[in-house]
Amino acid sequence: MPHADSSLVPTEIKTKAEFWAHVHSQLALLLEGQKNWVTNLANASSLVYNALSAFPSHFGSDDKAVNWCGFYLDSRLFPRSSDHNTEANRLLLGPFCGKPACQFINVTPGKSRGVVADGFLQAKTLLVPDVDSYPGHIACDGETKSEIVCPLFLGSKPIGILDLDCLALGGFDQEDKEGLEKIAALVVSSCEWE
Amino acid sequence: MPHADSSLVPTEIKTKAEFWAHVHSQLALLLEGQKNWVTNLANASSLVYNALSAFPSHFGSDDKAVNWCGFYLDSRLFPRSSDHNTEANRLLLGPFCGKPACQFINVTPGKSRGVVADGFLQAKTLLVPDVDSYPGHIACDGETKSEIVCPLFLGSKPIGILDLDCLALGGFDQEDKEGLEKIAALVVSSCEWE
């Protein structure tokens, strides 16, 4: 099967629970045999993003579209991590699908702001039904209406964030949270981190 | 300006030469202040991909769509490059926009195949108007009809490939080649590689 076809969603999949289970199984196949996080996060963001746009009963490519899906990661994980561009307390933009995005997120306790930083520092998934009413929201894309951020945990330690934006208010719910937390766990376990 | 807006294409832009000059100037702004290649290649692939889909006189999101835009890079550039998953003579999938793709490309001379490997080993841009008639083509996506691969040069040495696929036959021409070669040079110069 061409790799692109892993993001197809069979018509018999009707519920969000079925959808996330399907994406999880496709992702496990897609990442098989590869341990590099850049490569795996690139394919993971693509699979989730394109599968969501192929699931019109809940998302799709129109007014309910997920318009961004990707990763921010602890800057110390990045190549050339010893140089002056990399700082502690900073998440750098990793692989994603969607329009161009903020290069980094400050996660210094007491100085950070925004949904991604809050999810990372609180070490928990945050569902934001209306980003414009979220204190300190950083608008990388003015079209985004709602957001979900899901930490990547290496053991109990957050090492990054899986971030999804939606064009609709209230675009994500508890079922998406549960599905994405399993996706995030699979992504982390597929890669070598240290 | 929100970062996402860097991929907008003003209506006064009519020709491909104007388009590529615009994308080049937007990319220079988008990458400013950041040297990490993962972050910069993620934003670069997004900007080019989304700008092309916003340029319907030549590309757009329908039957002339560019359906994949991203990078393959020398595996030795990737984080955890000392481990057993990284081999010489292999390009690994880097940041991209589009559907899921092949994890790696073998670039061992005499054992490689496909457009990406040929562009890398020949160290030159290759325009492929019909991928199905290209000897040894690797079909990551059966919908792709044409392709352009443009090496990233660090000095005179290729370190990776900027790869674009199109749903239309003959999707790319000499003007795209010239535009993309300048984009590739800007991307390389924006990052620290060693």
Side-chain angles (χ1 to χ4, degrees):
Chain A
M1 184 179 82
H3 295 77
D5 293 351
S6 62
S7 63
L8 298 175
V9 179
T11 51
E12 61 265 31
I13 289 179
K14 306 290 185 197
T15 70
K16 282 194 174 184
E18 290 165 352
F19 171 81
W20 287 116
H22 171 76
V23 171
H24 189 277
S25 65
Q26 291 298 107
L27 184 60
L29 294 170
L30 182 66
L31 305 184
E32 201 171 277
Q34 179 56 245
K35 294 285 187 187
N36 188 278
W37 70 254
V38 180
T39 298
N40 281 357
L41 271 56
N43 258 337
S45 57
S46 166
L47 173 60
V48 173
Y49 182 84
N50 286 285
L52 285 162
S53 83
F55 190 47
S57 58
H58 289 82
F59 292 99
S61 56
D62 297 322
D63 57 349
K64 291 180 295 182
V66 170
N67 59 324
W68 205 90
C69 172
F71 296 92
Y72 282 92
L73 290 138
D74 188 320
S75 63
R76 292 166 292 184
L77 294 165
F78 282 66
R80 313 275 83 81
S81 62
S82 62
D83 75 27
H84 62 281
N85 291 295
T86 306
E87 301 171 20
N89 292 322
R90 177 176 275 202
L91 304 183
L92 280 181
L93 177 65
F96 69 92
C97 286
K99 290 184 181 171
C102 305
Q103 294 172 347
F104 68 90
I105 304 286
N106 183 347
V107 288
T108 308
K111 294 184 180 174
S112 69
R113 67 184 182 94
V115 184
V116 171
D118 289 352
F120 184 80
L121 288 170
Q122 295 171 27
K124 68 178 188 189
T125 300
L126 298 180
L127 272 164
V128 180
D130 177 4
V131 293
D132 290 329
S133 68
Y134 192 89
H137 171 61
I138 298 172
C140 284
D141 185 345
E143 292 190 333
T144 295
K145 294 283 188 296
S146 58
E147 184 168 5
I148 184 169
V149 297
C150 181
L152 306 184
F153 289 103
L154 188 63
S156 60
K157 190 181 126 201
I159 58 169
I161 287 285
L162 169 57
D163 180 16
L164 281 79
D165 295 340
C166 184
L167 295 181
L169 288 167
F172 306 102
D173 63 17
Q174 192 65 27
E175 285 189 289
D176 301 313
K177 173 179 181 290
E178 289 165 17
L180 283 166
E181 286 175 348
K182 288 177 187 157
I183 297 288
L186 175 58
V187 166
V188 173
S189 69
S190 74
C191 304
E192 287 183 353
W193 296 99
E194 48 195 358
Chain B
M1 184 179 82
H3 295 78
D5 293 352
S6 61
S7 64
L8 297 175
V9 179
T11 51
E12 60 265 30
I13 288 179
K14 305 292 185 196
T15 70
K16 281 194 175 183
E18 291 166 350
F19 171 80
W20 286 115
H22 171 75
V23 172
H24 189 277
S25 65
Q26 291 297 107
L27 184 60
L29 294 170
L30 183 66
L31 305 184
E32 202 170 276
Q34 180 55 244
K35 295 285 186 186
N36 187 279
W37 71 254
V38 179
T39 298
N40 281 357
L41 271 56
N43 259 337
S45 58
S46 167
L47 174 59
V48 174
Y49 183 85
N50 285 285
L52 285 161
S53 83
F55 190 47
S57 58
H58 289 82
F59 291 99
S61 56
D62 298 321
D63 56 349
K64 292 179 295 182
V66 170
N67 59 323
W68 204 91
C69 172
F71 295 92
Y72 282 92
L73 290 139
D74 188 320
S75 62
R76 292 167 292 186
L77 294 165
F78 281 66
R80 313 275 84 82
S81 62
S82 62
D83 75 28
H84 62 280
N85 291 295
T86 305
E87 302 172 17
N89 293 322
R90 178 176 274 203
L91 304 183
L92 280 182
L93 177 65
F96 69 92
C97 286
K99 290 185 181 171
C102 306
Q103 293 173 346
F104 68 90
I105 303 286
N106 183 347
V107 288
T108 309
K111 294 184 178 173
S112 69
R113 67 183 182 93
V115 184
V116 171
D118 289 353
F120 184 81
L121 289 170
Q122 295 171 28
K124 67 178 188 188
T125 301
L126 298 179
L127 272 164
V128 180
D130 177 4
V131 294
D132 290 329
S133 68
Y134 192 89
H137 171 61
I138 299 171
C140 284
D141 185 346
E143 292 190 334
T144 294
K145 293 284 189 295
S146 58
E147 184 168 4
I148 185 169
V149 297
C150 181
L152 306 184
F153 289 104
L154 189 62
S156 59
K157 189 181 127 201
I159 57 170
I161 286 286
L162 170 56
D163 182 15
L164 281 80
D165 295 340
C166 184
L167 295 180
L169 287 167
F172 306 102
D173 62 18
Q174 191 64 27
E175 285 189 289
D176 300 314
K177 173 179 181 290
E178 288 166 16
L180 284 166
E181 286 175 348
K182 288 176 187 158
I183 296 288
L186 175 58
V187 166
V188 173
S189 69
S190 74
C191 304
E192 288 184 350
W193 296 99
E194 46 194 1

